Amino acid sequence: MEVNVFDQLVPVGGTKNLRDIGGIATPEGLVVRRGVLFRSDTLHEAVMEDLARLNLACVIDFRSEAEVERRPDRLDGLNMRWVNLPVDNPRSAGSHFVDQEDLPEFRVEMIQHWLNRDFDAVGRMVDELSIDIAGDRVKRYQSFATDFAHVFAEFFAELVAVEGRPLLYHCEGGTDRTGVATALLLDVLGVDREAVMEDYLATNTVAAKELEELRQLAPPSLWPIIGAQPKQMQAFLDHIDSECGGINNYARSHLNLTDDAVAQLRSTYLVSP
């Protein structure tokens, strides 16, 4: 990636994982523009004065309605669009990876317990449902590519519509849903997969203290869902290649991007270093 992850960090009080993805290079020698694409954890405790300096035109929140209601973004007084594109927990006959009928509710309830730091309750749910937490998370990443393609298509529509004005997107911790959105964005822009993975794993560096605190509180059985795990992102990227025909085909068939739209995204968000 050839970018110092700490140089990407944006000093916004109340956030832990707010990064400018600008500076990441493509094999052709172009780099992602700085100051226009920001990935983040929740803005629930964000300092307004710090956010205002980013001159954001749009904030996209990938959290579910329940998560948003519990910890809404703090954006009062800022002149921007807020768009909720929930990467939720579907109960869908089209879901390729949900094998148990009550697994979606498990995920929703688990999030609530997790946010409350009630890790004992999370552990009990995992045991009661005999969930392979690591295997389920891998399948979850694979399902991002198919079950939530329509959500990420809307994300890309916003990227096109904003026409290069600053945009921030986030979930709760800025790791999984935000990580997948970033991987898709970098992939469509032509960034190589090694750099895509490096950016994803950078969460483990910038949030190392917080992640270690979580591991101290949570039983080892839950560690596979703490932080960014390479096998999870690799499963997502491999699924796009093996099941969706690669990123170029996926952009057309799942993200509704025409060749002209891809060209527009690249001309807007890539520059000479």
Side-chain angles (χ1 to χ4, degrees), residues 152-164:
F152 293 117
E154 293 185 59
F155 169 59
F156 274 88
E158 293 291 339
L159 287 168
V160 171
V162 81
E163 296 181 327

Side-chain angles (χ1 to χ4, degrees), residues 229-264:
Q229 306 290 335
K231 65 170 59 176
Q232 297 167 1
M233 178 56 70
Q234 193 61 56
F236 171 74
L237 297 172
D238 288 347
H239 190 71
I240 287 178
D241 290 342
S242 63
E243 302 299 324
C244 305
I247 189 60
N248 291 331
N249 185 67
Y250 182 83
R252 299 186 194 92
S253 62
H254 289 70
L255 300 179
N256 302 326
L257 292 173
T258 64
D259 291 344
D260 286 344
V262 171
Q264 178 184 337

Side-chain angles (χ1 to χ4, degrees), residues 6-271:
F6 291 106
D7 290 340
Q8 291 182 300
L9 275 175
V10 180
V12 172
T15 67
K16 301 180 178 68
N17 195 11
L18 201 167
R19 289 182 266 148
D20 182 345
I21 67 169
I24 299 176
T26 70
E28 291 74 27
L30 300 176
V31 298
V32 180
R33 282 180 59 196
R34 295 184 185 273
V36 292
L37 294 170
F38 301 95
R39 55 172 296 170
S40 183
D41 53 325
T42 179
L43 303 180
H44 177 63
E45 298 178 346
V47 175
M48 292 302 93
E49 293 81 1
D50 294 342
L51 272 182
R53 285 194 285 271
L54 301 183
N55 296 313
L56 297 173
C58 182
V59 168
I60 294 175
D61 191 336
F62 289 122
R63 296 177 301 163
S64 68
E65 181 179 344
E67 291 174 280
V68 171
E69 183 176 349
R70 184 183 184 280
R71 289 162 58 86
D73 284 348
R74 294 185 58 189
L75 303 172
D76 295 342
L78 298 181
N79 183 24
M80 67 180 69
R81 292 179 63 238
W82 180 84
V83 182
N84 187 207
L85 300 179
V87 179
D88 215 331
N89 299 286
R91 183 191 295 278
S92 166
S95 177
H96 300 292
F97 299 101
V98 177
D99 299 319
Q100 294 174 253
E101 187 67 4
D102 56 354
L103 190 54
E105 284 77 8
F106 160 78
R107 289 191 179 117
V108 172
E109 190 172 348
M110 185 183 73
I111 288 172
Q112 297 306 317
H113 288 314
W114 192 274
L115 292 176
N116 291 329
R117 295 297 187 261
D118 189 352
F119 297 110
D120 289 338
V122 176
R124 285 195 300 271
M125 294 183 71
V126 170
D127 292 340
E128 289 170 4
L129 290 174
S130 298
I131 297 297
D132 171 9
I133 199 73
D136 177 67
R137 184 53 65 96
V138 166
K139 291 179 180 179
R140 175 72 166 154
Y141 266 70
Q142 291 172 317
S143 77
F144 282 141
T146 49
D147 293 341
F148 301 104
H150 63 288
V151 177
F152 293 117
E154 293 185 59
F155 169 59
F156 274 88
E158 293 291 339
L159 287 168
V160 171
V162 81
E163 296 181 327
R165 290 171 294 165
L167 178 146
L168 181 148
Y169 55 97
H170 75 92
C171 53
E172 183 63 34
T175 304
D176 300 313
R177 293 165 287 187
T178 297
V180 166
T182 305
L184 285 175
L185 174 54
L186 294 176
D187 218 6
V188 167
L189 292 179
V191 172
D192 65 43
R193 291 286 178 80
E194 182 178 356
V196 170
M197 183 66 78
E198 286 182 24
D199 177 79
Y200 168 69
L201 295 176
T203 286
N204 295 336
T205 300
V206 301
K209 180 179 178 181
E210 290 77 15
L211 294 175
E212 181 56 33
E213 290 174 353
L214 287 177
R215 292 187 186 94
Q216 294 297 323
L217 294 170
S221 62
L222 299 182
W223 288 2
I225 60 174
I226 296 176
Q229 306 290 335
K231 65 170 59 176
Q232 297 167 1
M233 178 56 70
Q234 193 61 56
F236 171 74
L237 297 172
D238 288 347
H239 190 71
I240 287 178
D241 290 342
S242 63
E243 302 299 324
C244 305
I247 189 60
N248 291 331
N249 185 67
Y250 182 83
R252 299 186 194 92
S253 62
H254 289 70
L255 300 179
N256 302 326
L257 292 173
T258 64
D259 291 344
D260 286 344
V262 171
Q264 178 184 337
L265 287 168
R266 292 180 177 179
S267 66
T268 298
Y269 294 111
L270 295 177
V271 296

